[in-house]
mmCIF file of all heavy atoms in Angstrom:
data_model
loop_
_atom_site.group_PDB
_atom_site.id
_atom_site.type_symbol
_atom_site.label_atom_id
_atom_site.label_comp_id
_atom_site.label_asym_id
_atom_site.label_seq_id
_atom_site.Cartn_x
_atom_site.Cartn_y
_atom_site.Cartn_z
ATOM 1 N N CYS K 107 -4.986 -12.880 11.077
ATOM 2 C CA CYS K 107 -5.087 -12.176 12.352
ATOM 3 C C CYS K 107 -4.202 -12.740 13.471
ATOM 4 O O CYS K 107 -3.588 -11.984 14.189
ATOM 5 C CB CYS K 107 -6.534 -12.099 12.825
ATOM 6 S SG CYS K 107 -7.606 -11.383 11.569
ATOM 7 N N PRO K 108 -4.090 -14.087 13.609
ATOM 8 C CA PRO K 108 -3.238 -14.577 14.724
ATOM 9 C C PRO K 108 -1.801 -14.117 14.631
ATOM 10 O O PRO K 108 -1.106 -13.999 15.651
ATOM 11 C CB PRO K 108 -3.330 -16.079 14.605
ATOM 12 C CG PRO K 108 -4.616 -16.342 13.929
ATOM 13 C CD PRO K 108 -4.809 -15.168 12.954
ATOM 14 N N ILE K 109 -1.276 -13.880 13.411
ATOM 15 C CA ILE K 109 0.126 -13.486 13.310
ATOM 16 C C ILE K 109 0.255 -12.059 12.793
ATOM 17 O O ILE K 109 1.360 -11.631 12.448
ATOM 18 C CB ILE K 109 0.926 -14.437 12.397
ATOM 19 C CG1 ILE K 109 0.250 -14.587 11.030
ATOM 20 C CG2 ILE K 109 1.061 -15.798 13.046
ATOM 21 C CD1 ILE K 109 1.141 -15.217 10.013
ATOM 22 N N CYS K 110 -0.844 -11.307 12.756
ATOM 23 C CA CYS K 110 -0.808 -9.975 12.186
ATOM 24 C C CYS K 110 -0.676 -8.956 13.300
ATOM 25 O O CYS K 110 -1.434 -8.995 14.287
ATOM 26 C CB CYS K 110 -2.099 -9.738 11.390
ATOM 27 S SG CYS K 110 -2.272 -8.087 10.755
ATOM 28 N N ASP K 111 0.240 -8.021 13.157
ATOM 29 C CA ASP K 111 0.472 -7.050 14.210
ATOM 30 C C ASP K 111 -0.665 -6.060 14.384
ATOM 31 O O ASP K 111 -0.751 -5.431 15.427
ATOM 32 C CB ASP K 111 1.751 -6.248 13.882
ATOM 33 C CG ASP K 111 2.941 -6.739 14.698
ATOM 34 O OD1 ASP K 111 2.723 -7.599 15.561
ATOM 35 O OD2 ASP K 111 4.052 -6.258 14.461
ATOM 36 N N ARG K 141 5.802 -10.967 1.887
ATOM 37 C CA ARG K 141 6.074 -9.698 2.511
ATOM 38 C C ARG K 141 7.272 -9.026 1.850
ATOM 39 O O ARG K 141 8.159 -9.677 1.321
ATOM 40 C CB ARG K 141 6.228 -9.861 3.996
ATOM 41 C CG ARG K 141 7.609 -9.796 4.554
ATOM 42 C CD ARG K 141 7.527 -9.962 6.052
ATOM 43 N NE ARG K 141 8.847 -10.324 6.543
ATOM 44 C CZ ARG K 141 9.092 -10.683 7.777
ATOM 45 N NH1 ARG K 141 8.132 -10.785 8.636
ATOM 46 N NH2 ARG K 141 10.304 -10.959 8.160
ATOM 47 N N LEU K 149 7.595 -2.507 6.933
ATOM 48 C CA LEU K 149 7.402 -3.782 6.258
ATOM 49 C C LEU K 149 6.040 -3.766 5.583
ATOM 50 O O LEU K 149 5.090 -3.234 6.144
ATOM 51 C CB LEU K 149 7.435 -4.921 7.256
ATOM 52 C CG LEU K 149 8.783 -5.564 7.645
ATOM 53 C CD1 LEU K 149 8.497 -6.730 8.574
ATOM 54 C CD2 LEU K 149 9.567 -6.009 6.442
ATOM 55 N N TYR K 151 3.023 -6.171 4.010
ATOM 56 C CA TYR K 151 2.408 -7.482 3.771
ATOM 57 C C TYR K 151 1.317 -7.247 2.733
ATOM 58 O O TYR K 151 0.203 -6.852 3.077
ATOM 59 C CB TYR K 151 1.804 -8.019 5.067
ATOM 60 C CG TYR K 151 2.769 -8.512 6.064
ATOM 61 C CD1 TYR K 151 3.442 -7.669 6.943
ATOM 62 C CD2 TYR K 151 3.074 -9.903 6.169
ATOM 63 C CE1 TYR K 151 4.321 -8.146 7.882
ATOM 64 C CE2 TYR K 151 3.962 -10.395 7.107
ATOM 65 C CZ TYR K 151 4.584 -9.508 7.957
ATOM 66 O OH TYR K 151 5.473 -9.979 8.908
ATOM 67 N N LEU K 217 7.477 -5.142 15.385
ATOM 68 C CA LEU K 217 7.017 -6.421 14.857
ATOM 69 C C LEU K 217 6.975 -7.491 15.957
ATOM 70 O O LEU K 217 7.996 -7.770 16.601
ATOM 71 C CB LEU K 217 7.961 -6.875 13.738
ATOM 72 C CG LEU K 217 7.436 -8.003 12.842
ATOM 73 C CD1 LEU K 217 6.234 -7.528 12.008
ATOM 74 C CD2 LEU K 217 8.553 -8.529 11.933
ATOM 75 N N HIS K 218 5.822 -8.080 16.143
ATOM 76 C CA HIS K 218 5.574 -9.190 17.097
ATOM 77 C C HIS K 218 5.860 -8.816 18.568
ATOM 78 O O HIS K 218 5.927 -9.695 19.434
ATOM 79 C CB HIS K 218 6.441 -10.419 16.765
ATOM 80 C CG HIS K 218 6.335 -10.859 15.356
ATOM 81 N ND1 HIS K 218 5.167 -10.832 14.651
ATOM 82 C CD2 HIS K 218 7.284 -11.335 14.490
ATOM 83 C CE1 HIS K 218 5.372 -11.289 13.426
ATOM 84 N NE2 HIS K 218 6.659 -11.607 13.300
ATOM 85 N N LYS K 219 6.034 -7.529 18.863
ATOM 86 C CA LYS K 219 6.443 -7.165 20.223
ATOM 87 C C LYS K 219 5.317 -7.298 21.215
ATOM 88 O O LYS K 219 5.496 -7.782 22.338
ATOM 89 C CB LYS K 219 6.934 -5.723 20.211
ATOM 90 C CG LYS K 219 8.401 -5.572 20.459
ATOM 91 C CD LYS K 219 8.612 -4.159 20.948
ATOM 92 C CE LYS K 219 9.918 -3.542 20.677
ATOM 93 N NZ LYS K 219 9.877 -2.096 20.903
ATOM 94 N N ALA K 220 4.135 -6.811 20.841
ATOM 95 C CA ALA K 220 3.024 -6.826 21.798
ATOM 96 C C ALA K 220 1.731 -6.826 21.030
ATOM 97 O O ALA K 220 1.658 -6.444 19.873
ATOM 98 C CB ALA K 220 3.089 -5.597 22.717
ATOM 99 N N ARG K 221 0.675 -7.271 21.704
ATOM 100 C CA ARG K 221 -0.665 -7.235 21.115
ATOM 101 C C ARG K 221 -1.292 -5.887 21.397
ATOM 102 O O ARG K 221 -1.080 -5.291 22.469
ATOM 103 C CB ARG K 221 -1.534 -8.344 21.734
ATOM 104 C CG ARG K 221 -1.288 -9.711 21.170
ATOM 105 C CD ARG K 221 -0.828 -9.648 19.748
ATOM 106 N NE ARG K 221 -1.303 -10.741 18.933
ATOM 107 C CZ ARG K 221 -1.418 -10.669 17.627
ATOM 108 N NH1 ARG K 221 -1.149 -9.524 16.995
ATOM 109 N NH2 ARG K 221 -1.797 -11.698 16.917
ATOM 110 N N TRP K 223 -4.144 -5.051 22.290
ATOM 111 C CA TRP K 223 -4.979 -4.948 23.474
ATOM 112 C C TRP K 223 -4.193 -5.039 24.780
ATOM 113 O O TRP K 223 -4.747 -4.835 25.845
ATOM 114 C CB TRP K 223 -6.075 -6.032 23.434
ATOM 115 C CG TRP K 223 -5.561 -7.421 23.323
ATOM 116 C CD1 TRP K 223 -5.126 -8.182 24.362
ATOM 117 C CD2 TRP K 223 -5.425 -8.215 22.152
ATOM 118 N NE1 TRP K 223 -4.722 -9.398 23.872
ATOM 119 C CE2 TRP K 223 -4.883 -9.451 22.539
ATOM 120 C CE3 TRP K 223 -5.689 -7.993 20.787
ATOM 121 C CZ2 TRP K 223 -4.601 -10.483 21.612
ATOM 122 C CZ3 TRP K 223 -5.435 -9.024 19.917
ATOM 123 C CH2 TRP K 223 -4.896 -10.235 20.315
ATOM 124 N N ASP K 224 -2.915 -5.346 24.666
ATOM 125 C CA ASP K 224 -2.096 -5.391 25.868
ATOM 126 C C ASP K 224 -1.491 -4.028 26.204
ATOM 127 O O ASP K 224 -0.865 -3.872 27.247
ATOM 128 C CB ASP K 224 -0.895 -6.345 25.657
ATOM 129 C CG ASP K 224 -1.329 -7.790 25.725
ATOM 130 O OD1 ASP K 224 -2.344 -8.056 26.364
ATOM 131 O OD2 ASP K 224 -0.609 -8.648 25.164
ATOM 132 N N ARG K 246 3.566 -1.672 27.795
ATOM 133 C CA ARG K 246 3.241 -3.011 28.258
ATOM 134 C C ARG K 246 4.325 -3.462 29.222
ATOM 135 O O ARG K 246 5.520 -3.218 28.952
ATOM 136 C CB ARG K 246 3.160 -3.986 27.077
ATOM 137 C CG ARG K 246 2.771 -5.365 27.469
ATOM 138 C CD ARG K 246 3.133 -6.367 26.400
ATOM 139 N NE ARG K 246 2.773 -7.675 26.846
ATOM 140 C CZ ARG K 246 3.225 -8.785 26.296
ATOM 141 N NH1 ARG K 246 4.014 -8.741 25.257
ATOM 142 N NH2 ARG K 246 2.855 -9.963 26.753
ATOM 143 N N VAL G 71 1.819 -19.792 17.221
ATOM 144 C CA VAL G 71 2.223 -18.645 16.419
ATOM 145 C C VAL G 71 2.281 -17.372 17.252
ATOM 146 O O VAL G 71 2.327 -16.299 16.693
ATOM 147 C CB VAL G 71 1.305 -18.452 15.207
ATOM 148 C CG1 VAL G 71 1.409 -19.639 14.276
ATOM 149 C CG2 VAL G 71 -0.128 -18.224 15.642
ATOM 150 N N ALA G 72 2.268 -17.506 18.549
ATOM 151 C CA ALA G 72 2.377 -16.357 19.446
ATOM 152 C C ALA G 72 1.311 -15.301 19.177
ATOM 153 O O ALA G 72 1.580 -14.113 19.186
ATOM 154 C CB ALA G 72 3.766 -15.733 19.368
ATOM 155 N N CYS G 73 0.079 -15.783 18.964
ATOM 156 C CA CYS G 73 -0.989 -14.819 18.666
ATOM 157 C C CYS G 73 -1.441 -14.052 19.903
ATOM 158 O O CYS G 73 -2.069 -13.006 19.778
ATOM 159 C CB CYS G 73 -2.191 -15.555 18.078
ATOM 160 S SG CYS G 73 -3.072 -16.524 19.293
ATOM 161 N N GLY G 74 -1.115 -14.590 21.071
ATOM 162 C CA GLY G 74 -1.499 -13.841 22.291
ATOM 163 C C GLY G 74 -2.896 -14.077 22.790
ATOM 164 O O GLY G 74 -3.335 -13.437 23.713
ATOM 165 N N LEU G 75 -3.640 -14.999 22.156
ATOM 166 C CA LEU G 75 -5.040 -15.200 22.588
ATOM 167 C C LEU G 75 -5.109 -15.969 23.897
ATOM 168 O O LEU G 75 -5.915 -15.663 24.770
ATOM 169 C CB LEU G 75 -5.829 -15.909 21.494
ATOM 170 C CG LEU G 75 -6.115 -15.078 20.262
ATOM 171 C CD1 LEU G 75 -7.062 -15.813 19.337
ATOM 172 C CD2 LEU G 75 -6.719 -13.740 20.629
ATOM 173 N N THR G 78 -4.455 -13.956 26.880
ATOM 174 C CA THR G 78 -5.517 -12.982 27.046
ATOM 175 C C THR G 78 -6.744 -13.612 27.687
ATOM 176 O O THR G 78 -7.379 -13.012 28.565
ATOM 177 C CB THR G 78 -5.879 -12.361 25.703
ATOM 178 O OG1 THR G 78 -4.713 -11.821 25.115
ATOM 179 C CG2 THR G 78 -6.942 -11.297 25.821
ATOM 180 N N LEU G 87 3.835 -15.007 27.612
ATOM 181 C CA LEU G 87 4.220 -15.167 26.208
ATOM 182 C C LEU G 87 4.991 -13.957 25.757
ATOM 183 O O LEU G 87 4.612 -12.827 26.020
ATOM 184 C CB LEU G 87 2.933 -15.303 25.384
ATOM 185 C CG LEU G 87 3.079 -15.212 23.868
ATOM 186 C CD1 LEU G 87 3.636 -16.496 23.324
ATOM 187 C CD2 LEU G 87 1.761 -14.916 23.209
ATOM 188 N N VAL G 88 6.101 -14.195 25.080
ATOM 189 C CA VAL G 88 6.810 -13.145 24.398
ATOM 190 C C VAL G 88 6.996 -13.570 22.970
ATOM 191 O O VAL G 88 7.620 -14.616 22.702
ATOM 192 C CB VAL G 88 8.196 -12.844 25.044
ATOM 193 C CG1 VAL G 88 8.924 -11.759 24.276
ATOM 194 C CG2 VAL G 88 8.026 -12.435 26.501
ATOM 195 N N GLY G 89 6.416 -12.836 22.045
ATOM 196 C CA GLY G 89 6.450 -13.226 20.646
ATOM 197 C C GLY G 89 7.731 -12.817 19.975
ATOM 198 O O GLY G 89 8.443 -11.920 20.440
ATOM 199 N N GLY G 90 8.032 -13.432 18.848
ATOM 200 C CA GLY G 90 9.196 -13.069 18.075
ATOM 201 C C GLY G 90 9.142 -13.731 16.712
ATOM 202 O O GLY G 90 8.102 -14.273 16.329
ATOM 203 N N GLU G 91 10.265 -13.700 16.010
ATOM 204 C CA GLU G 91 10.286 -14.273 14.695
ATOM 205 C C GLU G 91 11.433 -15.274 14.599
ATOM 206 O O GLU G 91 12.534 -14.988 15.065
ATOM 207 C CB GLU G 91 10.487 -13.148 13.680
ATOM 208 C CG GLU G 91 10.093 -13.511 12.271
ATOM 209 C CD GLU G 91 10.045 -12.274 11.401
ATOM 210 O OE1 GLU G 91 11.094 -11.803 10.995
ATOM 211 O OE2 GLU G 91 8.939 -11.805 11.116
ATOM 212 N N GLY G 95 11.360 -16.606 9.356
ATOM 213 C CA GLY G 95 10.392 -15.518 9.230
ATOM 214 C C GLY G 95 9.016 -15.845 9.770
ATOM 215 O O GLY G 95 8.056 -15.145 9.467
ATOM 216 N N ASN G 96 8.888 -16.909 10.549
ATOM 217 C CA ASN G 96 7.594 -17.227 11.141
ATOM 218 C C ASN G 96 7.465 -16.628 12.523
ATOM 219 O O ASN G 96 8.435 -16.609 13.278
ATOM 220 C CB ASN G 96 7.443 -18.746 11.292
ATOM 221 C CG ASN G 96 7.479 -19.436 9.934
ATOM 222 O OD1 ASN G 96 6.779 -19.081 9.018
ATOM 223 N ND2 ASN G 96 8.337 -20.448 9.864
ATOM 224 N N ARG G 97 6.271 -16.183 12.854
ATOM 225 C CA ARG G 97 6.029 -15.685 14.177
ATOM 226 C C ARG G 97 5.992 -16.880 15.113
ATOM 227 O O ARG G 97 5.313 -17.889 14.828
ATOM 228 C CB ARG G 97 4.712 -14.944 14.182
ATOM 229 C CG ARG G 97 4.426 -14.199 15.443
ATOM 230 C CD ARG G 97 3.097 -13.486 15.338
ATOM 231 N NE ARG G 97 2.720 -13.021 16.631
ATOM 232 C CZ ARG G 97 2.493 -11.749 16.959
ATOM 233 N NH1 ARG G 97 2.608 -10.834 16.028
ATOM 234 N NH2 ARG G 97 2.166 -11.404 18.146
ATOM 235 N N PRO G 120 -6.082 -20.524 17.806
ATOM 236 C CA PRO G 120 -6.502 -20.599 16.397
ATOM 237 C C PRO G 120 -5.766 -21.667 15.597
ATOM 238 O O PRO G 120 -6.168 -21.992 14.496
ATOM 239 C CB PRO G 120 -6.203 -19.183 15.878
ATOM 240 C CG PRO G 120 -5.082 -18.709 16.729
ATOM 241 C CD PRO G 120 -5.285 -19.331 18.092
ATOM 242 N N VAL G 121 -4.631 -22.149 16.117
ATOM 243 C CA VAL G 121 -3.842 -23.117 15.347
ATOM 244 C C VAL G 121 -3.749 -24.460 16.074
ATOM 245 O O VAL G 121 -2.915 -25.283 15.703
ATOM 246 C CB VAL G 121 -2.439 -22.557 15.064
ATOM 247 C CG1 VAL G 121 -2.521 -21.414 14.074
ATOM 248 C CG2 VAL G 121 -1.741 -22.132 16.334
#
Side-chain angles (χ1 to χ4, degrees):
Chain K
C107 306
I109 54 167
C110 175
D111 258 354
R141 104 179 163 188
L149 273 184
Y151 286 83
L217 195 68
H218 308 322
K219 249 201 208 166
R221 279 332 214 156
W223 57 83
D224 285 336
R246 182 198 178 196
Chain G
V71 295
C73 72
L75 289 187
T78 304
L87 169 77
V88 178
E91 200 168 76
N96 299 309
R97 189 179 168 121
V121 291

